[in-house]
């Protein structure tokens, strides 16, 4: 099982330079992968390509690009370019997104998200594998009248989905290589998420899926103070039904309740809990929240576990 990080340098003077510096530090600490979110700021496939090129010790990926407001052709082009730039170390993560981002940002009705995800995955997989596709669905039409291949990316791109609900897990098991659940605690993972996606993959004749669990963790001696900060930062997710559901399935009431906040031993124990729940990879976000010294403490213990 590998251990990685979600890197966030959005508040730096130059986000790209700062992210590369953080990635170098993560690799030196022994971490294995760096993942980048996607909202309306930095373009995550470009960021992953830059980091992967500058820090060849790391696998890199997006976690994750919402399918609303995107089309499979340009997303495949971004992914294949990143894959060629990193010589095969890029992983494409997709997501359903949320009503707030789809309607508030793009002005697109957030309707039939699972159907859109199914069509997006169906159309993009052949683009990633062969550079061409012909797909006519209810929600998407995708055609490649000229080849969409990128030299250097002939091996394709691993395709993962930030899926947690039953329908999204079924689609992901059938059509993707794995999942990227976030804020899904070990209980939700073991009892609901891993069985559902594994069963769907088996029924579709696909290999066992990768389970890249994205957890939230901070190493600190000021547990109460940091907990308050984390609670404020993660409150946004409590308003999104899919996250609210998985938080509840984790045996928690709030998003902060599925975060690990404590010393190095608490963080190490959480990695073991995710492993026992079926995670094939664990990625930690939020490690920077209590400052650089706290981040370095977290990365040191996670690097040892990754090794």
């Amino acid at each position: 099982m590998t251990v990685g990080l979600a890197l966030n340098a959005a508040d730096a003077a130059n986000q790209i330079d700062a992210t590369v510096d953080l990635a170098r530090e993560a690799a030196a600490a022994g971490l294995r992968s760096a993942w980048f979110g996607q909202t309306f700021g930095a373009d995550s496939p470009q960021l992953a390509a830059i980091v992967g090129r500058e820090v060849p010790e790391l696998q890199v990926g997006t976690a994750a690009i919402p399918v609303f407001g995107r089309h499979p052709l340009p997303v495949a082009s971004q992914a294949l370019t990143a894959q060629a730039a990193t010589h095969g170390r890029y992983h494409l993560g997709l997501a359903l997104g949320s009503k707030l981002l789809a309607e508030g940002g793009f002005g697109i009705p957030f309707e039939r998200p699972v159907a859109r995800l199914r069509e997006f995955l169906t159309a993009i997989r052949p683009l990633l594998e062969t550079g061409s596709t012909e797909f006519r669905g209810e929600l998407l039409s995708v055609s490649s009248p000229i080849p969409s291949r990128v030299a250097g990316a002939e091996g394709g791109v691993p395709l993962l989905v930030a899926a947690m609900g039953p329908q999204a897990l079924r689609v992901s098991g059938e059509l993707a290589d794995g999942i990227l659940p976030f804020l899904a605690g070990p209980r939700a993972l073991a009892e609901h998420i891993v069985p559902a996606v594994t069963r769907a993959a088996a029924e579709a004749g696909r290999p066992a899926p990768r389970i890249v669990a994205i957890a939230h963790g901070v190493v600190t001696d000021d547990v109460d103070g940091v907990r308050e900060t984390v609670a404020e930062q993660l409150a946004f997710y409590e308003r999104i039904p899919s996250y609210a559901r998985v938080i509840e399935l984790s045996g928690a009431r709030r998003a902060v309740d599925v975060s690990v906040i404590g010393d190095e031993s608490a963080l190490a124990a959480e990695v073991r809990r995710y492993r026992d729940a079926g995670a094939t990879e664990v990625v930690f976000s939020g490690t920077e929240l209590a400052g650089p010294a706290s981040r370095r403490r977290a990365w040191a213990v996670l690097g040892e576990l990754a090794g």
Side-chain angles (χ1 to χ4, degrees):
M1 183 185 71
T2 62
V3 180
L5 296 166
L7 295 181
N8 181 5
D11 295 331
N14 184 300
Q15 183 175 354
I16 311 307
D17 291 345
T19 301
V20 170
D21 289 342
L22 285 173
R24 289 194 177 113
E25 185 178 338
L31 278 300
R32 300 296 181 83
S33 65
W35 298 78
F36 309 97
Q38 181 68 63
T39 52
F40 300 130
D43 181 76
S44 56
Q46 283 195 68
L47 190 53
I50 292 167
V51 169
R53 193 128 179 118
E54 294 286 332
V55 191
E57 299 91 343
L58 293 176
Q59 301 283 320
V60 292
T62 54
I65 300 173
V67 295
F68 281 86
R70 273 88 178 177
H71 187 274
L73 278 171
V75 172
S77 179
Q78 290 177 295
L80 290 167
T81 302
Q83 189 67 305
T86 60
H87 295 269
R89 289 178 287 110
Y90 174 72
H91 307 255
L92 172 61
L94 299 174
L96 278 72
S98 69
K99 183 174 183 177
L100 176 65
L101 297 180
E103 297 186 357
F106 291 108
I108 299 172
F110 189 69
E111 298 172 352
R112 302 180 65 192
V114 175
R116 181 174 292 272
L117 176 65
R118 179 178 287 280
E119 292 194 4
F120 204 103
L121 291 171
T122 302
I124 200 170
R125 179 170 283 283
L127 283 170
L128 297 175
E129 293 176 348
T130 69
S132 64
T133 193
E134 293 292 334
F135 177 80
R136 296 289 182 271
E138 294 182 67
L139 304 172
L140 289 172
S141 292
V142 186
S143 178
S144 47
I146 59 175
S148 304
R149 294 186 296 274
V150 175
E154 289 83 0
V157 180
L159 182 58
L160 302 103
V161 180
M164 295 182 292
Q167 295 182 69
L169 288 168
R170 186 179 307 114
V171 171
S172 301
E174 293 174 6
L175 299 172
D177 300 309
I179 57 171
L180 293 156
F182 176 49
L183 294 180
R187 176 175 161 184
L189 213 64
E191 296 180 4
H192 301 278
I193 291 174
V194 174
V197 71
T198 302
R199 181 169 56 251
E203 291 173 353
R206 295 186 56 79
R210 288 169 58 191
I211 312 294
V212 184
I214 304 178
H216 202 271
V218 185
V219 168
T220 180
D221 297 322
D222 180 18
V223 173
D224 292 338
V226 170
R227 181 179 173 84
E228 184 176 339
T229 301
V230 171
E232 293 175 1
Q233 185 192 65
L234 298 182
F236 163 79
Y237 293 99
E238 296 163 9
R239 303 195 298 270
I240 301 174
S242 60
Y243 284 103
R245 175 183 177 274
V246 81
I247 290 167
E248 182 179 0
L249 291 175
S250 299
R253 186 176 62 86
R254 301 192 61 195
V256 67
D257 298 331
V258 291
S259 301
V260 55
I261 303 168
D263 62 13
E264 286 86 347
S265 63
L267 195 66
E270 194 74 351
V271 172
R272 289 191 289 270
R273 290 179 65 215
Y274 274 98
R275 178 198 63 198
D276 293 342
T280 59
E281 301 156 62
V282 181
V283 173
F284 272 92
S285 67
T287 56
E288 75 286 347
L289 282 179
S294 167
R295 171 175 56 76
R296 286 190 287 269
R297 287 173 63 186
W299 289 14
V301 67
L302 293 174
E304 290 177 3
L305 294 169

